[in-house]
């Protein structure tokens, strides 16, 4: 309650909080800045599940101070990062790495969400949908155990009651589904606005000529100034959400300001306040602000519906606020199942589940169309990190276009005759022919369909038509250093089967086909499966020959990891690009043979199962025996 508090204390409290949090995060653990979930995702994807133990301690202090002094953040991001850091630290202490360490990180995240919101099912789904990016029995089982244990402990100390006590809402009329569809659309727009506003404010604060560790103080002071007039935006905001969930149409919560106007203002200001807090260096989550924004949006929407539609067609504004809470969370996180279940578990009401499911799915689909990245993955993309994925997905994200690039034997020019154009397109051996200028820069393409429509009239059109008349310009191409997942995205978005490969300056170097990418992926999967079975079969024999000559002319070899490779990940070594040698499996000391995880550092005692030419495999074997800091590795 701030009604009786002097205005300068309202400004001073978050400013002092920022003064403490800024240096704390900057000098001790910069990963603790912001909401923390992208850092956990990055640790799973690119760091082999390794999170520094100090992150948990710094995050606890920084987020507690940020929330306690009134800055506009939530608590779920911190608890996810804290739980994940604890899981990672325990795993590292006991010597776990690779998939086992990542599972422990996911267990920490699931347990944190389950404990914070008294929502074990949502905690498990949060870890699967957002942190791990995949779910199978080996991953799902420990996540469930962690969430259950965390929930039992929390309920023992804090009781078993939902976070929000709400009435039993239900569909008033079948026609009301139309309103929930519209609410899903508006929630998608609000979610995308929140994402873009958050990162725009982060960019603004990054550009300010102020020491990074001091920015949080100025951000906190700005939040305090806003809170003089709108104190609802301070802190987690659950009190305001509770009020909206008990809203009755026609109530006026503030003097002369109508409830509708207040809700719309709070929606916009909360986006600004949360972006300011996180952008300036505060520590806290975005989940609670998403719930806050959804409650305000749904409350305003429900108020308008009650003003203009018959009472027997619409529910109370609170019902729409509850649905919009889940829909905005779904739109920002791109995790509809988590959003549906967390709102369900937060309120312990199943009667609203049907409109909640509808609005959340619509909000997610539309938000993905408007902005392909979620509020979590966008941070990773902006700093060049890969998204969540592993195992088979790594084949697509670790392989460059240059490895499957077909060279161009012949191209067309704008003035080439119709006869030459038809012969070139039909005889090129692939789905389209490329038109370049005299210097080899790509201008456009001509497909088989383009010439098929006029081939019967080729004789009469010969004097009139040249290549330029059949060509259509293309803005869809890839660079040699793009990865195959980029190709698959373009194939799907543009419904094409082939892409030109160009240099950065636009010079055409070749083409890549969808069939090539799919065949490569299938071949890699089959090779990995077959090779791992072969290696595991060989290891059961008392004697075995490490090197095996393959029918392709290459060899399969097993290379012990020495000083030259120990402590480095396969992604850092990039043996495929440097030597043309593929690592199909890794046998860690005392463990079974597994698919290689490119982000996990190799250790002495590990063994690489590689395939390549005998000469190049020998170079890799020589590289692994080099002492750290000694002579340079052998030249290719």
């Amino acid at each position: 309650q701030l009604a009786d508090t002097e205005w300068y204390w309202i400004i001073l409290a978050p400013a002092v909080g920022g003064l403490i949090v800024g240096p704390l995060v900057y000098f001790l653990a910069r990963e603790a800045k912001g909401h923390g979930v992208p850092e956990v995702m990055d640790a799973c994807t690119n760091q082999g599940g390794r999170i520094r133990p100090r992150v948990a301690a710094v995050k606890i202090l920084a987020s507690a101070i940020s929330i306690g002094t009134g800055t506009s953040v939530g608590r779920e991001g911190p608890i996810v990062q804290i739980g994940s850091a604890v899981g990672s630290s325990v795993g590292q202490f006991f010597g776990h790495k690779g998939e086992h360490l990542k599972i422990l990180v996911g267990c920490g995240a699931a347990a944190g969400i389950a404990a914070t919101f008294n929502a074990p099912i949502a905690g498990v789904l949060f870890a699967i949908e957002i942190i791990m990016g995949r779910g199978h029995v080996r991953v799902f089982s420990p996540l469930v155990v962690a969430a259950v244990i965390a929930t039992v402990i929390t309920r023992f100390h804090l009781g078993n009651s939902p976070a929000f006590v709400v009435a039993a809402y239900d569909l008033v009329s079948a026609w009301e589904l139309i309103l929930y569809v519209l609410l899903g659309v508006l929630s998608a727009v609000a979610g995308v606005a929140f994402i873009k506003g958050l990162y725009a404010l982060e960019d603004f604060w990054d550009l300010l000529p102020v020491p990074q560790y001091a920015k949080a103080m100025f951000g906190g002071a700005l939040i305090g100034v806003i809170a003089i007039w709108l104190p609802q935006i301070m802190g987690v905001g659950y009190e305001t959400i509770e009020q909206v969930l008990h809203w009755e149409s026609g109530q006026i919560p503030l003097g002369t300001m109508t409830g509708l106007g207040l809700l719309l203002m709070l929606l916009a200001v909360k986006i600004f306040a949360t972006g300011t807090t996180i952008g300036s260096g505060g520590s806290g989550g975005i989940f609670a602000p998403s719930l806050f924004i959804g409650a305000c949006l749904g409350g305003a929407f429900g108020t308008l519906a009650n003003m203009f539609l018959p009472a027997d067609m619409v529910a109370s504004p609170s019902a729409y606020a509850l649905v919009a809470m889940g829909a905005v969370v779904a739109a920002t996180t791109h995790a509809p199942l988590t959003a549906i279940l967390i709102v369900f578990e937060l309120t312990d009401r199943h009667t609203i589940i049907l409109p909640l499911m509808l609005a959340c799915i619509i909000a997610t689909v539309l938000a993905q169309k408007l902005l392909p990245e979620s509020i979590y993955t966008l941070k990773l993309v902006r700093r060049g990190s890969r998204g969540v994925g592993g195992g088979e997905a790594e084949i697509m994200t670790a392989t460059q276009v240059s490895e499957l690039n077909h060279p161009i034997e012949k191209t067309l020019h704008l003035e080439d005759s119709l006869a030459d154009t038809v012969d070139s397109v039909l005889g090129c051996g692939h789905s389209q022919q490329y038109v370049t200028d005299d210097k080899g820069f790509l201008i456009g393409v001509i497909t088989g369909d383009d010439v098929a429509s006029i081939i019967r009239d080729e004789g009469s059109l010969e004097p009139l038509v040249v290549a330029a008349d059949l060509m259509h310009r293309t803005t869809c191409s890839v660079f040699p250093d793009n990865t195959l997942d980029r190709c698959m995205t373009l194939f799907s978005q543009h419904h094409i089967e082939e892409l030109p490969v160009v240099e950065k300056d636009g010079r055409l170097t070749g083409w890549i086909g969808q069939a090539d990418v799919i065949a490569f992926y299938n071949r890699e999967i089959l090779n990995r499966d077959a090779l791992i079975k072969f290696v595991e079969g060989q290891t059961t024999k008392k004697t075995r020959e490490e090197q095996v000559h393959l029918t392709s002319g290459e060899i399969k070899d097993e290379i012990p990891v020495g000083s030259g490779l120990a402590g480095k990940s396969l992604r850092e070594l990039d043996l495929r690009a440097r030597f043309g040698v593929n690592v199909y499996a890794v046998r860690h000391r005392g463990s079974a043979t597994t698919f290689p995880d490119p982000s996990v550092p190799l250790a002495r005692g590990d063994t690489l199962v590689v395939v390549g030419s005998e000469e190049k495999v020998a170079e890799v074997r020589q590289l692994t025996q080099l002492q750290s800091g000694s002579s340079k590795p052998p030249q290719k």
Side-chain angles (χ1 to χ4, degrees):
Q1 299 295 328
L2 301 177
D4 300 325
T5 305
E6 296 291 345
W7 64 270
Y8 50 83
W9 288 115
I10 299 176
I11 298 175
L12 190 61
V16 171
L19 182 62
I20 299 171
V21 169
L24 181 68
V25 170
Y26 185 82
F27 292 109
L28 294 182
R30 298 183 187 180
E31 307 99 305
K33 176 188 174 183
H35 41 104
V37 175
E39 283 70 26
V40 176
M41 296 167 65
D42 183 62
C44 275
T45 305
N46 300 315
Q47 308 298 327
R50 299 184 308 279
I51 302 174
R52 294 192 296 170
R54 73 169 67 175
V55 171
V58 173
K59 193 68 176 182
I60 290 172
L61 289 173
S63 58
I65 294 171
S66 293
I67 295 172
T69 56
T71 52
S72 180
V73 284
R75 64 192 186 194
E76 97 298 332
I79 197 61
V80 167
Q81 193 170 21
I82 293 165
S84 298
V86 170
S88 178
S89 299
V90 171
Q92 292 178 70
F93 178 80
F94 286 103
H96 292 296
K97 54 186 176 181
E99 186 70 10
H100 292 135
L101 189 58
K102 293 180 182 180
I103 291 174
L104 287 172
V105 170
C107 287
I113 290 292
T116 302
F117 294 118
N118 190 20
I121 302 175
V124 172
L125 283 179
F126 180 91
I128 290 175
E129 276 195 294
I130 296 174
I131 302 299
M132 307 293 292
R134 60 194 185 278
H136 46 75
V137 174
R138 189 173 61 178
V139 173
F140 187 76
S141 301
L143 296 180
V144 170
V145 173
V148 168
I149 293 174
T151 304
V152 169
I153 294 173
T154 302
R155 289 178 179 178
F156 177 79
H157 289 282
L158 302 178
N160 182 18
S161 58
F164 302 112
V165 179
V166 298
Y169 302 120
D170 203 350
L171 278 174
V172 176
S173 164
W175 293 103
E176 199 179 10
L177 286 176
I178 298 175
L179 295 178
Y180 286 114
V181 169
L182 180 57
L183 183 59
V185 173
L186 294 176
S187 297
V189 174
V192 171
F194 183 29
I195 297 172
K196 291 189 173 182
L198 178 70
Y199 287 103
L201 285 165
E202 280 200 9
D203 292 339
F204 169 78
W205 282 96
D206 286 341
L207 293 174
L208 287 183
V210 178
Q212 188 66 42
Y213 54 83
K215 291 179 181 179
M217 179 185 67
F218 295 103
L222 182 55
I223 298 299
V225 171
I226 298 172
I228 295 174
W229 294 277
L230 291 173
Q232 296 93 334
I233 57 95
M234 298 188 80
V236 178
Y238 277 3
E239 297 84 358
T240 302
I241 295 174
E242 191 82 35
Q243 292 174 9
V244 176
L245 291 178
H246 291 88
W247 187 290
E248 293 297 335
S249 182
Q251 288 182 341
I252 303 176
L254 277 185
T256 59
M257 180 180 289
T258 66
L260 177 62
L262 173 66
L263 289 175
L264 293 176
M265 180 174 291
L266 287 176
L267 187 157
V269 175
K270 188 66 174 181
I271 293 175
F272 177 82
T274 304
T276 297
T277 300
I278 293 177
S280 64
S283 180
I286 52 83
F287 203 98
S290 298
L291 293 174
F292 186 102
I293 293 166
C296 293
L297 174 66
F301 181 86
T303 299
L304 286 172
N306 276 266
M307 289 171 59
F308 295 104
L309 295 175
D312 60 350
M313 286 185 59
V314 294
S316 71
S318 301
Y320 297 98
L322 182 60
V323 170
M325 285 167 60
V328 171
V329 168
T332 55
T333 63
H334 294 183
L337 295 180
T338 298
I340 292 167
L341 282 171
I342 205 164
V343 170
F344 169 69
E345 291 188 289
L346 279 172
T347 59
D348 197 23
R349 291 294 180 184
H350 68 278
T351 52
I352 201 68
I353 195 70
L354 294 180
L356 179 64
M357 292 169 62
L358 178 65
C360 285
I361 293 300
I362 290 173
T364 303
V365 172
L366 182 57
Q368 289 174 333
K369 293 290 185 182
L370 296 174
L371 185 64
E373 303 297 335
S374 73
I375 199 166
Y376 299 132
T377 60
L378 183 58
K379 187 172 185 177
L380 299 177
V381 170
R382 281 159 55 94
R383 64 188 185 196
S385 297
R386 298 192 188 279
V388 174
E392 292 83 357
E394 189 68 31
I395 295 173
M396 305 299 282
T397 58
T399 307
Q400 294 185 340
V401 169
S402 57
E403 297 190 38
L404 300 182
N405 184 26
H406 295 280
I408 294 289
E409 297 180 357
K410 178 183 178 182
T411 61
L412 290 167
H413 295 85
L414 292 172
E415 67 279 2
D416 284 352
S417 67
L418 178 59
D420 290 341
T421 300
V422 171
D423 290 343
S424 181
V425 171
L426 297 181
C428 68
H430 47 102
S431 63
Q432 58 191 25
Q433 184 59 286
Y434 300 97
V435 181
T436 61
D437 61 14
D438 293 335
K439 296 182 178 180
F441 291 97
L442 178 65
I443 302 176
V445 301
I446 301 176
T447 68
D449 292 337
D450 294 329
V451 301
S453 59
I454 64 167
I455 199 166
R456 292 183 179 180
D457 302 317
E458 181 180 351
S460 59
L461 295 175
E462 172 65 29
L464 306 174
V465 177
V466 294
D469 299 314
L470 298 178
M471 180 200 75
H472 54 89
R473 296 187 180 273
T474 179
T475 58
C476 189
S477 60
V478 291
F479 299 130
D481 59 355
N482 285 153
T483 55
L484 297 187
D485 60 327
R486 169 65 177 167
C487 294
M488 292 306 294
T489 299
L490 293 175
F491 288 141
S492 175
Q493 288 179 346
H494 298 277
H495 306 288
I496 54 178
E497 298 179 355
E498 184 179 315
L499 286 166
V501 181
V502 299
E503 297 292 350
K504 300 294 184 180
D505 60 0
R507 195 184 306 271
L508 182 67
T509 65
W511 61 275
I512 184 171
Q514 185 178 26
D516 298 320
V517 177
I518 295 174
F520 174 80
Y521 176 83
N522 291 335
R523 186 170 63 251
E524 289 290 298
I525 293 295
L526 289 173
N527 285 345
R528 287 186 176 193
D529 289 340
L531 194 58
I532 283 182
K533 291 178 181 177
F534 173 75
V535 171
E536 289 179 338
Q538 289 288 91
T539 57
T540 61
K541 300 179 181 180
K542 292 183 179 179
T543 59
R544 66 181 163 85
E545 184 181 0
E546 287 186 352
Q547 193 175 97
V548 177
H549 290 265
L550 306 176
T551 56
S552 62
E554 298 177 312
I555 63 169
K556 188 279 297 182
D557 203 356
E558 297 186 20
I559 302 178
V561 173
S563 301
L565 302 186
K568 300 177 182 178
S569 68
L570 291 174
R571 179 176 286 124
E572 294 171 331
L573 295 169
D574 202 6
L575 299 179
R576 184 203 293 264
R578 294 170 61 191
F579 299 98
V581 172
N582 293 303
V583 180
Y584 280 100
V586 176
R587 185 164 56 250
H588 298 290
R589 184 187 302 180
S591 302
T593 305
T594 61
F595 290 145
D597 188 332
S599 62
V600 175
L602 301 172
R604 282 181 172 274
D606 293 347
T607 301
L608 303 182
V609 181
V610 303
V611 171
S613 69
E614 190 167 358
E615 176 188 357
K616 297 301 182 183
V617 169
E619 290 182 5
V620 175
R621 183 179 289 275
Q622 181 182 351
L623 174 66
T624 191
Q625 296 169 352
L626 293 174
Q627 296 296 320
S628 299
S630 65
S631 60
K632 297 181 181 179
Q635 298 296 318
K636 293 178 62 177

